[in-house]
Amino acid sequence: MKVEISAKEIIKPSSSTPENLRNFKLSLLDQLAPPTYEPLLLFYFSNSDTGFHFCLKKSLSDTLTRFFPLAGRLKDNITVDCSDYGVVYLEARVDCLLSDFLQQPNADTLKEFLPVEDESIDAAGGEALLLVQSSFFSCGGVAIGVCLSHKFGDAATLSTFIKSWAATSLGSGETVQQPLYNGSSLFPPRAFSEGVIPPPTLLNFTKGKCVVKRFVFAAPKIAALKSIAASASVQQPTRVEAVTALIWKSAMNASRTNLGFSKLSLLSQSVNIRRTTEPPLPENSIGNLLWYFPAQKDESDAELQGLVQELRTGKQDFGKKYVKKLQSKDAYEEVTESLKEELCMLISNDIEFYNCTSLCDFYFYDIDFGWGKPTWVTNISGRSLKNVVRLMDAKGGDGGIEAWVTLEEQDMTLFEEDKELLAYASLNPRVLNITAMDSLKSCL
């Protein structure tokens, strides 16, 4: 399979941003966000034509009038210069059928459908805050790859943007919620003294020679997993808690076997602050409104129920204590102190650090640009960041979960053969079953 870029251009907002909106303030959490891109890939079966290519670009331009900061550039670590520089838009041709590609997608191939590496340092500099790549398969299928700078927003921000773009493409943009730019008022930015920079993000210190693999947990398997993960302390685990705990357990087992001894294991789990404040913030609140709560366990005591309990306790403590601290006048001190504590754990040779991000319940499978709902939606992280887990809803809408897991090579060798893990997860299964693929091939 070959993905060849056929066009590159800059898409600007269809109407100029007013002068009074030209300087957009970041929030404190934006300032502390990692200098990377948040990627999303959506695949569609379609009989697209050149006219629809133009419609995609026109609707993107119209959407940028509402999301005007995305067409800007970072001026410094506080301000986005919203002078309508535009977003990068690429078009590509793919010399294969989408149905063939979906038989067994892999991490290396998926990178070709993204307009930039998600770990690119361009996200921290004066480059585009948003890049898009539309890849057209020989059968008419389409892949939309979107990369949003983490200096501007999180996965929820990306979700709000791409849903607005799709609705505009369908001609129903008026029904979409307008973006709510309230981040800097909730978490005011901090002016750092010369020579002083925000604390380094944890992921910058977790690079290694890694392998990325995809695992899919079907809904019936998750139901069975939840039943054995339940305990008196957590009687009804969520599907994310159950899947995260099993992945964590299997990764710890692999690490302990390869090292020959046990370590303290710390898992940092993302949480959407919008859903934990009192009252909750609107989902269309733009910015990095997420943070991480830690859960820890000794590798020698890695039982599923205990891991679920640690995850639940960490989330409850975050909701009860940490969110209020984030909204206080001492938010910067609280955030930096938390980062310093985790950094000390991270660089310790006695602790194995994991990072898990969940994109479940964002309803990405409802995003329709005019080709119907996507056949597959996925999100994948870079290969150099070890011990990273990314979860999102699996195809089907029945509660299944797809997980991309990044581990060091020797750990992945044992992890992907873990019998308990494979009792509930399938390693890189076909996105479409054989019957569905044959049917589609006959129609395209």
Side-chain angles (χ1 to χ4, degrees):
M1 186 197 74
K2 183 179 180 181
V3 181
E4 184 175 357
I5 302 298
S6 57
K8 178 180 180 179
E9 59 185 295
I10 300 295
I11 305 294
K12 298 188 176 186
S14 58
S15 59
S16 299
T17 301
E19 286 294 330
N20 65 313
L21 298 178
R22 290 294 176 96
N23 291 304
F24 178 83
K25 295 295 182 183
L26 299 176
S27 73
L28 172 63
L29 300 185
D30 295 331
Q31 291 179 290
L32 299 175
T36 58
Y37 286 99
E38 177 69 39
L40 187 70
L41 275 167
L42 305 100
F43 292 86
Y44 297 86
F45 281 104
S46 162
N47 291 314
S48 59
D49 55 26
T50 303
F52 206 85
H53 300 188
F54 172 80
C55 181
L56 269 180
K57 292 185 285 188
K58 175 63 169 61
S59 58
L60 176 58
S61 178
D62 291 341
T63 304
L64 289 174
T65 62
R66 298 189 290 275
F67 292 82
F68 59 92
L70 287 178
R73 298 291 184 270
L74 286 172
K75 187 190 317 188
D76 48 44
N77 201 40
I78 295 180
T79 310
V80 176
D81 178 7
C82 304
S83 296
D84 301 332
Y85 297 99
V87 304
V88 175
Y89 182 87
L90 306 176
E91 286 188 358
R93 299 289 174 181
V94 189
D95 63 351
C96 78
L97 300 177
L98 176 55
S99 55
D100 290 338
F101 170 74
L102 293 179
Q103 289 190 45
Q104 258 195 329
N106 64 73
D108 289 332
T109 307
L110 285 170
K111 298 288 186 184
E112 298 189 47
F113 295 99
L114 292 174
V116 66
E117 285 282 347
D118 59 321
E119 298 167 27
S120 172
I121 60 173
D122 291 343
E127 299 302 316
L129 296 176
L130 181 75
L131 300 95
V132 177
Q133 179 175 320
S134 299
S135 303
F136 299 91
F137 289 79
S138 57
C139 61
V142 182
I144 303 294
V146 183
C147 287
L148 172 75
S149 172
H150 248 312
K151 299 303 294 182
F152 177 77
D154 54 14
T157 297
L158 177 57
S159 172
T160 298
F161 164 75
I162 202 167
K163 288 173 182 176
S164 179
W165 178 20
T168 302
S169 182
L170 279 174
S172 56
E174 297 80 5
T175 65
V176 175
Q177 286 182 310
Q178 296 294 314
L180 181 59
Y181 299 110
N182 55 352
S184 61
S185 61
L186 293 168
F187 306 102
R190 182 183 177 93
F192 297 99
S193 302
E194 184 176 354
V196 178
I197 59 174
T201 56
L202 300 178
L203 289 182
N204 289 341
F205 292 86
T206 59
K207 293 189 176 182
K209 190 174 182 181
C210 301
V211 176
V212 187
K213 294 290 180 74
R214 168 177 169 260
F215 298 83
V216 176
F217 297 77
K221 294 288 188 179
I222 293 178
L225 179 62
K226 287 169 61 177
S227 67
I228 68 167
S231 65
S233 300
V234 184
Q235 296 181 12
Q236 294 184 320
T238 68
R239 60 188 180 123
V240 170
E241 287 173 336
V243 168
T244 302
L246 180 57
I247 291 174
W248 189 15
K249 178 182 179 181
S250 299
M252 282 194 284
N253 288 340
S255 173
R256 183 178 65 251
T257 300
N258 282 321
L259 289 172
F261 58 88
S262 298
K263 282 187 175 184
L264 178 66
S265 183
L266 187 147
L267 184 141
S268 182
Q269 173 84 40
S270 66
V271 59
N272 187 347
I273 294 176
R274 297 167 183 81
R275 301 172 184 176
T276 59
T277 58
E278 291 293 342
L281 297 173
E283 283 295 310
N284 59 324
S285 297
I286 300 301
N288 283 285
L289 295 171
L290 86 164
W291 202 245
Y292 297 85
F293 66 86
Q296 64 183 45
K297 200 75 172 176
D298 191 284
E299 289 180 347
S300 62
D301 185 30
E303 294 302 322
L304 194 64
Q305 293 180 348
L307 296 178
V308 168
Q309 183 178 345
E310 289 295 329
L311 292 171
R312 177 65 63 87
T313 300
K315 186 174 182 179
Q316 289 175 339
D317 288 347
F318 179 89
K320 292 177 181 178
K321 303 174 184 177
Y322 203 70
V323 171
K324 291 181 180 179
K325 292 179 180 179
L326 284 177
Q327 293 180 287
S328 72
K329 64 179 180 180
D330 299 322
Y332 172 75
E333 286 72 19
E334 294 292 341
V335 168
T336 53
E337 186 61 31
S338 172
L339 285 174
K340 289 176 183 176
E341 290 176 0
E342 291 195 28
L343 179 57
C344 288
M345 295 181 187
L346 179 60
I347 62 179
S348 170
N349 291 328
D350 299 324
I351 298 176
E352 192 74 13
F353 186 88
Y354 297 88
N355 180 280
C356 181
T357 300
S358 173
L359 278 71
C360 293
D361 298 324
F362 280 113
Y363 304 103
F364 290 119
Y365 278 93
D366 290 337
I367 297 174
D368 182 0
F369 284 92
W371 307 300
K373 294 184 178 181
T375 298
W376 186 42
V377 182
T378 194
N379 172 283
I380 185 170
S381 63
R383 292 179 297 169
S384 65
L385 303 178
K386 73 173 186 177
N387 297 348
V388 173
V389 180
R390 300 182 74 94
L391 307 178
M392 69 182 307
D393 295 316
K395 177 180 171 59
D398 58 357
I401 289 179
E402 176 178 285
W404 286 96
V405 181
T406 308
L407 299 174
E408 288 188 297
E409 286 183 336
Q410 60 179 0
D411 286 348
M412 181 60 79
T413 299
L414 297 179
F415 179 86
E416 65 182 348
E417 296 177 352
D418 186 286
K419 292 182 179 180
E420 184 177 8
L421 175 71
L422 296 180
Y424 299 96
S426 299
L427 174 57
N428 200 25
R430 300 173 187 266
V431 175
L432 298 175
N433 60 44
I434 296 175
T435 303
M437 287 193 296
D438 290 342
S439 176
L440 285 166
K441 285 181 179 181
S442 67
C443 296
L444 295 174

